Amino acid sequence: MVVVAKILDMLLPPRCFACGEDVQDHGGQCVACWSKIDFISHPLCTCCGVPFDYVSNQEEGAAGLICGDCALTKNAFDQARAVFLYDDHSKKMILSFKHGDRHEGVPAFANWLWGAAKIWQDEIDIIMPVPLHWRRLFKRRFNQAAEMAHAVGKVTGLEVDATSLKRHKPTRSQFGLGARQRQKNVKSAFSINEKGKVGVKGKTILLVDDVMTTGATLNACAKALKKAGVVKVYAVSLARVVNSS
């Protein structure tokens, strides 16, 4: 196996999945690309996970800080987290995965996603990806959220269910839509199939997606899951858009 691996490295040398530069191991990143990733850290909203620009000394020690949006609106999901900010660098990395068939970064994505979701590890029963409508899945050939969900399942040993949650409504892309338009676009777009309802009832679900903007898609999924009897829904995304309308 070692000889085979060496031959493969000679034929297909390891390259950074973000820029294509030579790296030591397959699925790795070069130092330059790694340094450009803006990982999300505290302080952040306890509910949706959006990072705060500033927290006062008094607030910093307080638990349960929430952002203005979460204070005004009750989310269907219980909590959400994201790995890094969605910026010019991470956008290229994610789009090359979604539309450029660059899957070599999936193992790294899975480790990062679980690093963000590990706070719920004692509660999670099932991992689920945000589904694509079958028409879009046919055109794209794979669901990037499902790829990551299965990879997180390998890391954790948790059950992955990529078939019970369905996007039965062929929604338009959320790109370019405002917050209210996004909510309307995905309203009642998701459901749990009859077979899946038995398996999810009374469970805690971890939803996996690539990018979180306003949380409209995650909320729509969480509503469908809770309608089917799910107790809690946590959500983790690879990237998080901030300052969106």
Side-chain angles (χ1 to χ4, degrees):
M1 292 296 291
V2 175
V3 175
V4 173
K6 288 183 177 180
I7 293 173
L8 287 174
D9 283 347
M10 291 176 62
L11 296 173
L12 299 169
R15 297 189 184 280
C16 172
F17 61 80
C19 72
E21 288 294 315
D22 292 344
V23 293
Q24 186 174 355
D25 300 308
H26 287 286
Q29 276 195 315
C30 66
V31 175
C33 287
W34 172 265
S35 65
K36 293 177 183 176
I37 301 175
D38 197 349
F39 288 100
I40 294 174
S41 59
H42 291 279
L44 47 77
C45 174
T46 303
C47 182
C48 75
V50 67
F52 293 125
D53 291 330
Y54 170 78
V55 175
S56 70
N57 291 334
Q58 284 185 328
E59 291 174 318
E60 192 145 9
L65 289 176
I66 60 173
C67 67
D69 288 340
C70 290
L72 294 172
T73 306
K74 174 65 176 175
N75 292 310
F77 58 79
D78 291 87
Q79 287 182 303
R81 294 291 184 271
V83 177
F84 46 69
L85 295 182
Y86 191 70
D87 53 22
D88 289 341
H89 176 67
S90 62
K91 179 180 180 180
K92 291 177 182 177
M93 187 165 57
I94 290 171
L95 291 181
S96 68
F97 170 42
K98 287 177 68 171
H99 305 296
D101 289 336
R102 297 291 302 274
H103 293 223
E104 57 266 45
V106 172
F109 296 161
N111 284 316
W112 293 342
L113 286 163
W114 184 240
K118 206 170 182 178
I119 53 173
W120 313 305
Q121 63 180 335
D122 294 332
E123 299 179 68
I124 298 166
D125 297 304
I126 304 170
I127 301 170
M128 282 188 175
V130 171
L132 293 175
H133 187 265
W134 68 266
R135 293 177 188 170
R136 187 167 296 171
L137 181 60
F138 181 78
K139 289 178 67 175
R140 193 177 293 173
R141 305 190 311 278
F142 76 99
N143 177 0
Q144 72 279 357
E147 292 283 318
M148 294 189 295
H150 283 294
V152 174
K154 288 183 180 180
V155 171
T156 63
L158 291 167
E159 177 186 348
V160 179
D161 181 352
T163 60
S164 293
L165 182 61
K166 299 288 186 182
R167 189 190 295 247
H168 58 261
K169 178 181 172 183
T171 55
R172 61 176 290 195
S173 171
Q174 297 277 66
F175 179 76
L177 300 180
R180 291 186 179 180
Q181 290 174 309
R182 286 171 175 267
Q183 292 173 7
K184 185 177 180 180
N185 188 41
V186 295
K187 185 178 180 181
S188 303
F190 301 93
S191 60
I192 306 295
N193 60 38
E194 290 303 317
K195 183 179 179 182
K197 288 179 181 179
V198 178
V200 302
K201 189 174 182 180
K203 303 293 186 180
T204 294
I205 305 296
L206 175 65
L207 275 175
V208 175
D209 204 6
D210 55 351
V211 180
M212 178 181 177
T213 304
T214 63
T217 299
L218 296 175
N219 262 313
C221 289
K223 285 179 182 178
L225 287 166
K226 289 193 171 179
K227 186 177 180 180
V230 169
V231 175
K232 282 187 178 181
V233 177
Y234 295 120
V236 64
S237 302
L238 200 56
R240 176 68 192 258
V241 177
V242 295
N243 298 323
S244 61
S245 59

